[in-house]
Amino acid sequence: MGWSRPVGWLLDHVIYRTSVTGRDNVPADGPVIFAGNHISFLDGPVMFGASPRPMHILVKQEMFKGFLGRVLRASGQLPVDRSGDRSALQLGKAVLDAGRCVGILPEGTRGSGKASGISNGVAWLALNSAAAVVPVAILGTRKGGEHLDTVPRPGRRLHVSFGEPLRIGRKPNETGRASMDRAGMEIRAALAKHVQDTIYLSGQPLPDAEFPQERPNAVAGSPADHH
């Protein structure tokens, strides 16, 4: 992943003008799950470039074709079958068990970015690893009434903010289903609050949603649409 880190930095600070806050909130070592809101194709790459630590981002497997697919694999990104295959979660867990970082956009598809609904994939990873969950607010990659497929022009101001880490664990006598539901709610609430706090502090709003959120219950429904 060494070569892809400078590429991510160039995307954030040469092609776009990205301000980054909250880097100190990211644990310096140990496994971390970065959970970001999702409004644009660029969210995954922008989060990747802004992070103080390298990460493996869950990306829908349809993107792993041709030249782009080779680039994604070479940069360490993880393919996800959104039909419900859990192999991506197991692979993500293996990455976290090795003390590395995984990036997820748990809303599962591009939308308003408010984190009003997320998949349980991020909750499963949090519960089945020792990873901290860092909420990530990504703003500016799409704005106003821009179409979901819009790629912002070079030079646009973007903002990425890393929130305080959460530690999610199982509670005594709590069923697996109850643990998943609770963990999902805690992560969703933390991400939604961090997004709103970042909007207030940065003055940069979310875009209008093109259509309602989709696939909130997908098993690993947290891949980036693009990297």
Side-chain angles (χ1 to χ4, degrees):
M1 296 176 67
W3 66 269
S4 59
R5 295 282 287 158
V7 172
W9 187 91
L10 287 171
L11 174 71
D12 279 358
H13 301 290
V14 176
I15 297 177
Y16 298 106
R17 295 180 294 168
T18 305
S19 57
V20 183
T21 58
R23 286 175 181 258
D24 291 344
N25 288 324
V26 178
D29 52 37
V32 174
I33 300 168
F34 292 93
N37 64 321
H38 199 11
I39 57 178
S40 164
F41 276 122
L42 279 182
D43 296 330
V46 167
M47 180 170 69
F48 182 89
S51 173
R53 293 182 60 186
M55 70 178 79
H56 302 265
I57 300 179
L58 298 183
V59 182
K60 65 180 182 180
Q61 67 176 8
E62 291 86 348
M63 303 303 297
F64 286 78
K65 296 179 181 178
F67 175 75
L68 177 59
R70 292 193 293 273
V71 171
L72 290 172
R73 291 186 186 279
S75 62
Q77 310 320 310
L78 308 177
V80 175
D81 180 353
R82 296 196 293 182
S83 66
D85 184 3
R86 288 184 175 269
S87 61
L89 292 180
Q90 295 292 346
L91 186 56
K93 181 180 182 301
V95 169
L96 294 170
D97 289 345
R100 304 174 80 169
C101 303
V102 168
I104 304 178
L105 303 175
E107 290 173 285
T109 190
R110 288 159 289 147
S112 69
K114 295 179 180 179
S116 56
I118 66 172
S119 75
N120 278 337
V122 64
W124 187 92
L125 282 174
L127 287 170
N128 288 280
S129 71
V133 180
V134 173
V136 185
I138 305 163
L139 303 174
T141 52
R142 188 167 64 87
K143 61 183 182 180
E146 289 179 337
H147 190 272
L148 289 169
D149 294 337
T150 298
V151 176
R153 292 182 178 180
R156 176 179 290 186
R157 289 190 176 276
L158 311 179
H159 189 85
V160 179
S161 176
F162 297 93
E164 295 184 2
L166 290 76
R167 297 286 180 176
I168 306 291
R170 299 184 187 277
K171 294 184 177 181
N173 303 318
E174 188 177 50
T175 66
R177 179 74 262 175
S179 293
M180 286 277 286
D181 290 343
R182 176 182 53 78
M185 287 190 293
E186 289 180 8
I187 295 169
R188 189 208 66 78
L191 177 56
K193 182 179 185 302
H194 184 60
V195 169
Q196 292 303 317
D197 289 347
T198 303
I199 291 170
Y200 176 77
L201 292 173
S202 69
Q204 196 157 7
L206 287 169
D208 301 325
E210 182 78 6
F211 47 75
Q213 298 284 344
E214 294 180 354
R215 302 179 62 85
N217 297 315
V219 173
S222 39
D225 285 309
H226 186 263
H227 186 276

